[in-house]
Amino acid sequence: MVTTAQVPQPLRLLAAGTVAGMLGWLVALAVSATALPAFASPASPAEKVGIRYLAQGKKVIPVSVRIGDWEITDIKLPDLVATNAQEPPVTVEQVEVVVKAAGAEALRLTISGKPLADAIVEFADIVNNQQRPLPALQLAYGNIALPEGKVSDNGTLAGGQSLVLPLSKIAFVHLVGHTKVDELEIRLTVATGGERTVAAFPVALTPYQVTGRYMFPLKGDVQMAFLPLSYIHHRAAASQEFAMDLVGANQKDAASFTDISRPNPMALTDYGIWGREVHAVGDGLVVETGDRFPEKLMSDPVKFNQPDYVRGVLKELIPQIGWTNAVAGNYVVIDHFNGEFSVYCHLQEGSIRVRTGDKARKGMVIARVGNTGNSSAPHLHFQLMDGQSFFTANGLPMMFGNVPARAMIVDYPVTANTLSFSDSIFYTVP
């Protein structure tokens, strides 16, 4: 766990009210098909509404898992900006997501009414009233390019006005079948002067297989937590979309294999993962480090398990050590010279063995697991990105040579582009 959309809460990546409150509704949508309204007729987007991504350089990367003869595709929807390109006002009444697999329509989701209205209002309130600083918005949405002027908070756009559709926070695509999803289109039903038309926005999918031949960053018994199918955690953020939290497993003196500490922990040493060596996953160049987070502020389990306490620590430290070092804790970023950057967060104070400009070698120890930054227990937050910036890069799926896809489910032949089949995976890494 690293961050939230606000000044962070431990084990929260976003203020989850919008997301969590709508998940049940969205799951129901995901298994139903909805036809276009009879009054809707195709129209060029330029005639009524211009549509673009909220984040510049956005990549929509599907999670892809094949188990036996079954394909599982999971897609986080992109956030969009819709702009009225004409003088008369227009109203966005409905959003449809059309999904195709092997060229045939496989799923159609409809977002309208209160869920759509609430999402539009919530985002408009945030940006119009400047409720969150830019780094907080970037952590949640990526390299955002906000429209000029006040955005619409009610779905109706005056001439030249825009609204933001934060679709990543209210809907997702999850399809199980025998073919992969290969096309996705978002359609807006807009009304003006008693006429309704449909503006279509084709979403360019970016299937991705990790390029580097990486090893896992830890050895021994681990629990891989908050994997990409957990939408209310890492997946809800931008560069963290495919991240994982690595916590302890098979803890000495614990009541269960799944416990991450001794019963009633009173010190960091009661967590078996704390102090474990962190390894560079591949060769590369260290391009960024941060080591100014004082771990003494996060050494008392009674305190760091309280969200208000951690939030207060971050508010105090951000002006002193910067957003990245405060939220990620002590951290290392490595450029692997293949368009992939690995990030290691929440590192133990004083344990980082590399500095910016150092060469990294696959397997070398670069630090130890700690409990710094936005954290509620000692763990390693690990992710891959397509750029150096924790705030503006796209997250990338990741696989490791010493943790095969079958770690997700051992009874069937499995291939995948990320370890993601469940929220958590327990594994002994050689």
Side-chain angles (χ1 to χ4, degrees):
M1 180 274 305
V2 168
T3 182
T4 77
Q6 303 178 12
V7 173
Q9 302 177 29
L11 293 183
R12 301 289 189 276
L13 262 290
L14 293 164
T18 300
V19 180
M22 295 181 185
L23 282 181
W25 174 79
L26 292 168
V27 169
L29 283 178
V31 296
S32 66
T34 305
L36 279 170
F39 51 71
S41 59
S44 167
E47 293 181 21
K48 298 292 184 184
V49 174
I51 307 172
R52 66 169 174 85
Y53 292 125
L54 173 63
Q56 302 171 94
K58 174 64 181 175
K59 294 177 182 175
V60 181
I61 302 175
V63 167
S64 177
V65 180
R66 185 173 182 85
I67 301 177
D69 295 327
W70 293 94
E71 293 281 355
I72 302 172
T73 305
D74 194 279
I75 301 173
K76 174 183 171 181
L77 294 179
D79 307 299
L80 301 180
V81 175
T83 302
N84 182 9
Q86 62 177 14
E87 284 300 321
V90 300
T91 300
V92 177
E93 295 185 334
Q94 175 177 286
V95 177
E96 281 201 319
V97 181
V98 179
V99 181
K100 293 184 178 181
E105 184 172 324
L107 184 69
R108 187 175 293 212
L109 312 181
T110 301
I111 309 169
S112 61
K114 190 175 186 299
L116 179 61
D118 287 350
I120 291 172
V121 169
E122 182 175 337
F123 191 92
D125 193 41
I126 290 171
V127 297
N128 288 342
N129 298 312
Q130 299 181 342
Q131 292 182 356
R132 299 179 193 171
L134 180 61
L137 289 174
Q138 290 175 326
L139 285 169
Y141 298 98
N143 190 20
I144 60 174
L146 292 173
E148 294 183 2
K150 287 189 176 295
V151 300
S152 170
D153 62 0
N154 60 10
T156 297
L157 310 174
Q161 191 179 24
S162 301
L163 65 74
V164 175
L165 298 167
L167 300 181
S168 70
K169 306 303 181 281
I170 60 173
F172 60 91
V173 170
H174 188 86
L175 187 67
V176 180
H178 293 297
T179 54
K180 288 184 179 180
V181 170
D182 51 17
E183 293 182 55
L184 191 152
E185 185 175 78
I186 297 174
R187 300 174 182 175
L188 309 185
T189 299
V190 298
T192 180
E195 178 189 2
R196 289 177 172 83
T197 56
V198 174
F201 182 77
V203 174
L205 299 179
T206 306
Y208 194 87
Q209 294 287 341
V210 67
T211 300
R213 299 174 64 86
Y214 299 124
M215 64 170 284
F216 203 73
L218 298 180
K219 295 182 179 181
D221 295 327
V222 297
Q223 176 188 352
M224 307 171 213
F226 302 116
L227 297 172
L229 293 191
S230 177
Y231 269 88
I232 61 173
H233 205 70
H234 297 135
R235 192 80 182 278
S239 72
Q240 302 171 54
E241 182 174 353
F242 300 96
M244 61 175 65
D245 284 344
L246 306 177
V247 297
N250 198 21
Q251 168 75 41
K252 183 180 180 181
D253 300 327
S256 167
F257 177 86
T258 62
D259 290 347
I260 66 173
S261 72
R262 295 188 176 98
N264 304 312
M266 300 301 293
L268 293 176
T269 51
D270 289 332
Y271 296 81
I273 201 77
W274 187 76
R276 193 179 299 187
E277 292 181 336
V278 177
H279 302 263
V281 298
D283 293 346
L285 181 71
V286 178
V287 292
E288 190 175 336
T289 64
D291 61 357
R292 298 176 60 198
F293 195 109
E295 196 163 23
K296 65 181 180 181
L297 297 178
M298 297 290 290
S299 61
D300 184 350
V302 175
K303 290 182 177 179
F304 64 64
N305 273 301
Q306 301 299 317
D308 287 344
Y309 173 78
V310 178
R311 194 180 303 115
V313 169
L314 299 183
K315 285 183 177 180
E316 176 185 347
L317 288 179
I318 284 172
Q320 301 175 30
I321 65 177
W323 271 84
T324 307
N325 205 170
V327 174
N330 299 324
Y331 70 99
V332 173
V333 180
I334 298 176
D335 181 358
H336 298 285
F337 298 111
N338 56 5
E340 297 171 349
F341 294 71
S342 59
V343 189
Y344 314 75
C345 302
H346 308 311
L347 302 174
Q348 190 180 95
E349 182 183 10
S351 74
I352 297 178
R353 302 185 186 183
V354 293
R355 291 293 178 261
T356 300
D358 288 353
K359 291 182 179 180
R361 298 298 181 193
K362 182 177 179 178
M364 71 181 288
V365 176
I366 59 173
R368 292 183 180 273
V369 175
N371 191 47
T372 57
N374 188 38
S375 175
S376 60
H379 70 286
L380 175 69
H381 172 104
F382 179 81
Q383 66 185 64
L384 282 184
M385 313 184 295
D386 67 356
Q388 181 177 333
S389 173
F390 198 76
F391 297 88
T392 60
N394 289 286
L396 297 176
M398 49 197 179
M399 293 296 292
F400 309 92
N402 56 340
V403 181
R406 61 180 174 79
M408 294 186 283
I409 180 169
V410 298
D411 294 330
Y412 297 91
V414 180
T415 58
N417 70 343
T418 189
L419 295 166
S420 60
F421 187 67
S422 64
D423 284 351
S424 298
I425 294 173
F426 292 87
Y427 198 74
T428 300
V429 182

